[in-house]
Amino acid sequence: MDSLPEHKRRSGRRYGGRVIRLMLALAVVMGALCLAYHHRVSRSDEADVLDALGRYVLANSTEGRQALVGSVWWPPIPTVMVTMAHAVAGSAGRFGAAVLVGALMAGCLAWTMNRLVRRWVPGGLAAWLPVVALLVYRPFWEAAGGGGVATLTGAWLSLMAVWSAVRWSEHQSLRALVYLGLAGMGLVGTHPVLALWFLLILLWVGVDLRLRGTGHDQRQAVGLLLVLPVVYLAALWGLLNWLIMGDGWYALRAVWPAAVAGSLTVAGWTHVPGLTGGVCLGLVAVRHRIRSGLWLSFLVMATLGLHAILIARGMAWAGQAMTLSAAVLGLLALAYLCREDVGMPGWLKVGTGLVAVVSALASHVGTVDPAPSATVARRELVEQVARHVRGTHPCIKVFVAGYRGLPVVEAGDPGLFVPSLDFNLRAAGRAYPGHWLYLLAPPPNGRTGTESLYWKYPDLIRHGASGMVFDSEWEGWRLYRLSAVQAPEIMKP
Amino acid sequence: MKGPDPLLLSRLRPEWSAHIPLTMAQKVVGLLILAGVITGLVLAPLAAGRVLVAICTVYYVAFTLYKFMLVRLSVSQSAEIRVPIERLAELHDEDLPRYSILVPLYHEPETVVRLVESIQALDYPANRKDVQLLLEEDDGETRAAVAAMWMPPGFRVTLIPRSHPRTKPKACNIGLALARGKYLVIYDAEDRPEPDQLKKAVIGFRQADDRVICLQSKLNYYNPRQNLLTRWFTAEYSAWFDLFLPGLAALNAVIPLGGTSNHFITRPLRSLLGWDAYNVTEDCDLGIRIYRAGYRTQMLDTTTWEEACGRLPFWIRQRTRWLKGYLQTYLVHMRQPVRLLRELGLSNFLHFQVLIGGLVFGFVINPLFWIMTLLWFVFRVESLSLLFPGMVFLMGALCLFAGNFTFAYIGAVGCYRRACYDLVKYALVAPVYWGLMSVSAWRAVWQFFRNPFLWEKTRHGFFAGT
């Protein structure tokens, strides 16, 4: 016997069937779009890095392990997802793993939005279908290009987190609590800035428990269930840094790297609809004394504020996921306004729907990682470097530094190019005695500026570093000759 | 006069009984697998090691995902039978059928008084209770304790003749044969069921579909704060009875019954020939047989409070028995795997593999992987990484980092659901507890071959609180 009433089971089955149909339709539409327009989607630099990273991890190489945990700006969850998809789908085809993960995450985002809209908005999915479609469209193309995996995952997790927090605030259900904790855990491993934002949700829950006069033991239990996943992942990450990189704080060494200016004047305006939704919801929530609405409004505005801080710090590239998350949360605020208990008149709900469409459209104008010239044909680069260094000595090795170096190494001669995620001058000399050694360093733009090479050798690009002499430059990539390690006794055959 | 036959199942349906621990075919298959593994390890140690590690890793991934799915189901939807108070109030005494209550006792004189009080406290008309205290013929101390006290109406003593095997199911079979009730429930000596449990079960059976012949109550402990072991034990029970079993019920899957507070409809239970007297987790085995016979089990939202075993040696013995019983159950039902697949269907066949066989397998292999992990982390034995090529490494890392966390977190969630808020923090250090379970698992495997029918009795009565 199933204790659920029959009509509920039937409705659940109908609903499940509808969701499956929606997902299938989404997959078919996206597949068709992929086939039709694949020539218009250029793979981003991030896609190539993630793909290469996946191959290194699957090969169980030291560089793969280092890359998996070595930087907060290349967090592990998107890498792991792409790696797993890579293992399943292989690197065959133009899109490969990135599309698989992108489609999955786009599906998750659409599914969650669908559930939420069905619950909150009269008319349900039919009324807001364009909103959901528009919302998913842009990040999907980013994912197809490879750059949207973290963006989509972060947006989906932030949506899950906020929705769970709202549900917790309204029903104190265990399910909401667990989902909230797990979403927080996911955010830590997907986008560190969003993890900071998650602290605000914890604050929300803490205050909420206090206001309800919950007992000490229960408050402690809720706190543990929420905080523990987050702390666990953070501690695990630290432990792996200690084990693999020899420094528990390694990944955090470049939390605030050198600022890189980005052209974000347009992106700033994309938040206007979300901001409108947040402000309107705040006003309505205060008027009707709806606690969860007030918190949601606060979170929407906090997200926008956090994004503004990133822009002000010149970290436009780090705010990519924030743009979409802010748009999603803005939509959430607008959907909340349409709830029955808010009591808005019908014409205003229609207006809200229109604002939601504008908001979803606006989310299409996002920031773009100012990926440097690493997207130039890597084969040309490695051929030029190889031509340049060969002939200088019979035994040569060229270390290629950083995450963006991984696909470069793959493009070149494996006997000549060596990947290096954690470049160390002395270790390099010890590893290849009798060789002439070079270091190929990527231009420190955007995220690349955060890599260990630049916090270990901060003046490398401007003045060179002790033991590394500037040799040549190709498309921003600079080649250094490692002079300090080539002592005469090492040079003897 | 010749009494009821407690070994009916093993006589009439020997293929369903653990009387013979391993059939000849199973012995041959087991030896072939063992020979294959040894040959592989000798001739191509790296390849064989990789294959074994890959099998274990796939198992870990499957088990983690499986448990996660069950928990997700149980927190998302309620699949257990809930009986509102109003429904209880609508019941009239004359509508209630006779209810048989079986209480096997063995060397437990100290529990008798409290046991009788607990059963008397059940909100059910005394003239419709049919309580049998099942006492072993040679258990003088318990018999003396029972004889020394006044027995309320509806209580009677049934003596179990001294014979092999000396197990609880053997006693229950005799109790079943002499039961007079339409419904029947088993309680242990230290159990304290919620007073309205019998009435809830009656309503539960009435509102359940015809195939449901068993309702499993939730079990939990009244002494969780006695020491660290009882805290862990409570966390484990909370996860099992409040998350996993409701998750299984939500899937309409086969449910391994818990040791006590299983409510049955007596007639179909008799048609199933009762319990297997040779199986030391006869409840788990019966849960599978119920499903194979086309019947179903559901969870009932009521709790029986028990005494958690708070002393490590007794806990190890109890857990050894449970895991040995799971092993017995697995091997009995896997004697004819194709038939089992046909009778359970594919999804329940897989449930059975993961839940019964997989559970023991996991606890047995855990120490091997812990040792490997320790060697890698502490001594950096890089050669171990050769055993984890590509995808296996990735899955292994996921299990190590996500899987272990998932299990500890599930324990914490179980405590929260059971409203044992102060135990949440103890659930998080459960990995030590898992180590104890592995000790028991190895002991269980050893005992399975040495002394398969040995029933290591759990001693209760150490908790003095109320």
Side-chain angles (χ1 to χ4, degrees):
Chain A
M1 202 251 24
D2 195 325
S3 62
L4 282 174
E6 186 58 27
H7 72 276
K8 274 199 171 181
R9 272 192 288 163
R10 269 205 305 272
S11 126
R13 274 198 294 270
R14 268 206 307 273
Y15 171 63
R18 222 177 293 168
V19 169
I20 290 167
R21 280 200 296 276
L22 175 75
M23 299 280 284
L24 282 175
L26 200 69
V28 169
V29 169
M30 285 181 173
L33 286 172
C34 263
L35 285 174
Y37 294 105
H38 71 274
H39 57 280
R40 290 176 59 184
V41 181
S42 57
R43 282 178 66 85
S44 74
D45 196 39
E46 180 180 342
D48 291 335
V49 173
L50 280 178
D51 264 358
L53 220 162
R55 281 189 288 271
Y56 277 97
V57 174
L58 281 178
N60 205 2
S61 69
T62 305
E63 288 73 25
R65 287 198 287 263
Q66 288 177 334
L68 193 61
V69 299
S71 168
V72 280
W73 301 117
W74 290 91
I77 287 182
T79 306
V80 167
M81 287 198 304
V82 170
T83 305
M84 293 186 83
H86 196 76
V88 173
S91 53
R94 182 175 170 77
F95 296 109
V99 160
L100 203 66
V101 179
L104 181 71
M105 288 295 113
C108 287
L109 188 63
W111 182 72
T112 311
M113 280 299 287
N114 167 33
R115 289 199 68 179
L116 193 142
V117 166
R118 280 172 56 87
R119 214 171 270 255
W120 286 359
V121 182
L125 186 63
W128 273 45
L129 191 59
V131 179
V132 176
L134 282 170
L135 192 74
V136 171
Y137 178 84
R138 190 202 85 163
F140 175 74
W141 283 115
E142 275 189 18
V149 173
T151 307
L152 270 167
T153 313
W156 176 58
L157 288 170
S158 47
L159 177 64
M160 285 295 292
V162 174
W163 190 22
S164 301
V166 170
R167 285 173 68 96
W168 163 259
S169 179
E170 288 172 350
H171 310 293
Q172 287 79 54
S173 73
L174 175 61
R175 180 184 166 194
L177 196 62
V178 172
Y179 281 12
L180 186 52
L182 295 180
M185 186 186 196
L187 285 172
V188 171
T190 305
H191 200 287
V193 181
L194 286 172
L196 281 176
W197 166 87
F198 185 71
L199 292 176
L200 293 173
I201 297 188
L202 293 184
L203 177 74
W204 166 353
V205 174
V207 174
D208 199 53
L209 285 169
R210 273 277 176 197
L211 291 175
R212 286 177 200 283
T214 312
H216 170 264
D217 281 346
Q218 190 177 359
R219 281 206 310 271
Q220 192 186 54
V222 169
L224 278 171
L225 287 178
L226 286 185
V227 172
L228 195 93
V230 174
V231 171
Y232 174 77
L233 193 74
L236 183 64
W237 201 348
L239 173 75
L240 289 176
N241 268 274
W242 178 66
L243 287 167
I244 295 170
M245 316 304 291
D247 173 5
W249 301 100
Y250 189 93
L252 288 172
R253 297 279 175 207
V255 170
W256 296 113
V260 180
S263 54
L264 287 161
T265 44
V266 179
W269 290 100
T270 61
H271 291 321
V272 171
L275 190 65
T276 312
V279 171
C280 288
L281 179 58
L283 292 173
V284 170
V286 167
R287 189 176 162 202
H288 292 275
R289 293 174 182 275
I290 308 172
R291 196 187 290 167
S292 57
L294 190 62
W295 273 111
L296 179 56
S297 145
F298 167 67
L299 275 179
V300 171
M301 286 191 276
T303 314
L304 299 176
L306 206 54
H307 195 202
I309 291 172
L310 287 178
I311 293 170
R313 298 281 309 190
M315 294 166 71
W317 48 275
Q320 257 185 315
M322 298 291 293
T323 315
L324 184 64
S325 295
V328 166
L329 297 185
L331 285 174
L332 202 63
L334 292 167
Y336 195 102
L337 282 168
C338 295
R339 281 169 45 143
E340 292 293 340
D341 56 347
V342 175
M344 285 223 301
W347 64 269
L348 212 50
K349 285 181 186 171
V350 174
T352 307
L354 284 174
V355 175
V357 173
V358 173
S359 179
L361 265 175
S363 75
H364 284 233
V365 190
T367 55
V368 177
D369 187 351
S373 48
T375 44
V376 298
R378 293 185 182 86
R379 204 167 296 279
E380 273 178 40
L381 173 70
V382 292
E383 278 170 7
Q384 286 172 15
V385 173
R387 263 201 305 274
H388 180 76
V389 296
R390 278 202 175 115
T392 54
H393 190 270
C395 301
I396 297 165
K397 289 288 175 194
V398 179
F399 291 96
V400 188
Y403 285 84
R404 289 204 157 96
L406 294 175
V408 172
V409 174
E410 286 192 325
D413 173 9
L416 180 64
F417 294 97
V418 181
S420 176
L421 262 295
D422 182 28
F423 183 72
N424 182 299
L425 201 58
R426 285 174 191 278
R430 277 198 301 272
Y432 296 98
H435 285 66
W436 271 34
L437 303 177
Y438 291 89
L439 172 72
L440 188 62
N445 294 346
R447 185 156 33 174
T448 311
T450 68
E451 287 181 14
S452 61
L453 186 69
Y454 299 110
W455 53 260
K456 279 179 152 184
Y457 306 100
D459 292 329
L460 181 70
I461 293 296
R462 268 180 293 174
H463 312 298
S466 160
M468 287 188 264
V469 182
F470 175 73
D471 187 296
S472 309
E473 182 170 5
W474 291 273
E475 301 282 348
W477 286 80
R478 291 192 173 184
L479 186 72
Y480 296 87
R481 192 159 53 83
L482 310 188
S483 55
V485 294
Q486 293 164 10
E489 66 272 16
I490 299 174
M491 294 297 294
K492 284 177 190 164
Chain B
M1 191 186 79
K2 198 176 176 222
D5 182 2
L7 308 177
L8 213 54
L9 181 80
S10 56
R11 288 194 218 287
L12 298 181
R13 302 297 299 269
E15 75 276 15
W16 277 8
S17 169
H19 185 200
I20 300 164
L22 283 170
T23 60
M24 185 50 74
Q26 284 176 326
K27 283 178 189 166
V28 170
V29 171
L31 285 173
L32 281 176
I33 292 172
L34 192 66
V37 169
I38 291 171
T39 312
L41 287 173
V42 170
L43 296 180
L46 183 62
R50 281 182 169 181
V51 169
L52 291 176
V53 165
I55 290 170
C56 294
T57 308
V58 168
Y59 154 77
Y60 276 126
V61 171
F63 197 63
T64 307
L65 292 175
Y66 178 73
K67 283 217 159 179
F68 191 78
M69 176 194 72
L70 290 184
V71 172
R72 196 199 149 275
L73 274 172
S74 68
V75 298
S76 300
Q77 63 189 75
S78 169
E80 57 208 30
I81 295 178
R82 292 175 190 273
V83 180
I85 298 172
E86 311 85 66
R87 293 286 308 277
L88 290 174
E90 288 166 8
L91 277 179
H92 301 292
D93 283 0
E94 57 273 20
D95 296 337
L96 294 171
R98 187 184 287 270
Y99 218 117
S100 288
I101 299 172
L102 305 185
V103 190
L105 292 157
Y106 190 53
H107 291 305
E108 293 167 293
E110 69 284 352
T111 60
V112 172
V113 174
R114 192 172 277 176
L115 162 72
V116 172
E117 285 171 3
S118 297
I119 293 178
Q120 265 196 299
L122 285 171
D123 176 21
Y124 208 80
N127 62 350
R128 285 166 200 265
K129 280 187 208 163
D130 165 35
V131 184
Q132 286 186 73
L133 303 183
L134 308 172
L135 306 182
E136 295 285 332
E137 203 173 28
D138 59 351
D139 179 10
E141 50 180 343
T142 314
R143 286 180 69 180
V146 170
M149 71 177 293
W150 172 80
M151 280 292 143
F155 281 66
R156 60 187 160 127
V157 171
T158 302
L159 285 183
I160 310 301
R162 188 177 171 177
S163 64
H164 180 76
R166 300 181 67 81
T167 57
K168 174 179 154 187
K170 190 188 79 176
C172 290
N173 281 338
I174 293 177
L176 171 65
L178 302 175
R180 298 165 188 157
K182 179 182 179 189
Y183 300 123
L184 179 144
V185 63
I186 310 260
Y187 289 127
D188 276 350
E190 81 284 6
D191 283 1
R192 294 181 202 169
E194 283 179 354
D196 56 6
Q197 189 172 105
L198 298 186
K199 284 187 172 175
K200 279 187 174 174
V202 169
I203 296 174
F205 278 121
R206 284 178 185 169
Q207 72 181 50
D209 83 32
D210 291 343
R211 291 182 304 167
V212 175
I213 64 157
C214 177
L215 297 177
Q216 169 69 59
S217 312
K218 294 175 179 178
L219 304 181
N220 217 295
Y221 295 121
Y222 50 68
N223 61 329
R225 290 159 195 91
Q226 187 182 340
N227 57 36
L228 187 58
L229 190 59
T230 59
R231 287 184 170 97
W232 280 334
F233 208 169
T234 307
E236 184 200 4
Y237 249 42
S238 301
W240 184 257
F241 283 98
D242 291 284
L243 294 175
F244 295 140
L245 294 192
L248 283 172
L251 287 171
N252 203 14
V254 58
I255 292 179
L257 301 181
T260 86
S261 303
N262 330 118
H263 298 260
F264 299 98
I265 303 176
T266 311
R267 193 190 295 253
L269 180 61
R270 283 195 179 119
S271 74
L272 286 171
L273 306 176
W275 293 268
D276 178 11
Y278 291 94
N279 194 313
V280 293
T281 49
E282 75 293 345
D283 33 35
C284 169
D285 170 69
L286 181 59
I288 311 298
R289 279 195 288 125
I290 284 174
Y291 210 100
R292 292 186 74 172
Y295 297 119
R296 293 292 178 268
T297 301
Q298 272 291 321
M299 291 299 292
L300 183 65
D301 186 27
T302 174
T303 301
T304 295
W305 303 94
E306 300 188 287
E307 183 187 333
C309 184
R311 299 208 175 172
L312 189 58
F314 293 114
W315 183 93
I316 296 263
R317 284 176 208 169
Q318 184 186 47
R319 191 51 60 112
T320 298
R321 176 165 59 79
W322 290 357
L323 292 172
K324 184 174 70 176
Y326 266 54
L327 194 55
Q328 283 181 316
T329 305
Y330 182 76
L331 291 168
V332 163
H333 290 279
M334 282 299 283
R335 284 172 184 170
Q336 294 168 303
V338 177
R339 184 177 165 191
L340 180 70
L341 175 63
R342 209 172 48 239
E343 288 175 358
L344 291 182
L346 180 62
S347 66
N348 274 299
F349 182 78
L350 294 175
H351 282 300
F352 173 80
Q353 298 300 325
V354 180
L355 208 62
I356 311 297
L359 193 80
V360 185
F361 180 68
F363 287 133
V364 167
I365 62 169
N366 274 348
L368 307 177
F369 280 83
W370 291 332
I371 290 169
M372 280 201 276
T373 308
L374 205 67
L375 286 175
W376 192 83
F377 276 124
V378 179
F379 301 108
R380 300 295 178 98
V381 183
E382 286 295 333
S383 55
L384 281 174
S385 58
L386 294 174
L387 294 171
F388 292 85
M391 195 61 189
V392 178
F393 168 75
L394 199 62
M395 288 197 297
L398 270 179
C399 289
L400 177 65
F401 300 127
N404 285 318
F405 170 77
T406 304
F407 289 123
Y409 194 65
I410 284 171
V413 172
C415 289
Y416 189 91
R417 178 164 250 198
R418 186 36 78 176
C420 296
Y421 301 123
D422 59 321
L423 298 188
V424 166
K425 52 183 172 289
Y426 296 100
L428 301 173
V429 284
V432 182
Y433 186 69
W434 305 340
L436 298 176
M437 292 214 250
S438 284
V439 171
S440 309
W442 277 98
R443 205 165 165 264
V445 172
W446 173 253
Q447 213 178 71
F448 175 78
F449 291 104
R450 298 282 298 178
N451 199 349
F453 312 123
L454 174 68
W455 186 286
E456 288 190 299
K457 177 91 182 100
T458 311
R459 286 283 304 276
H460 291 293
F462 296 117
F463 179 64
T466 56

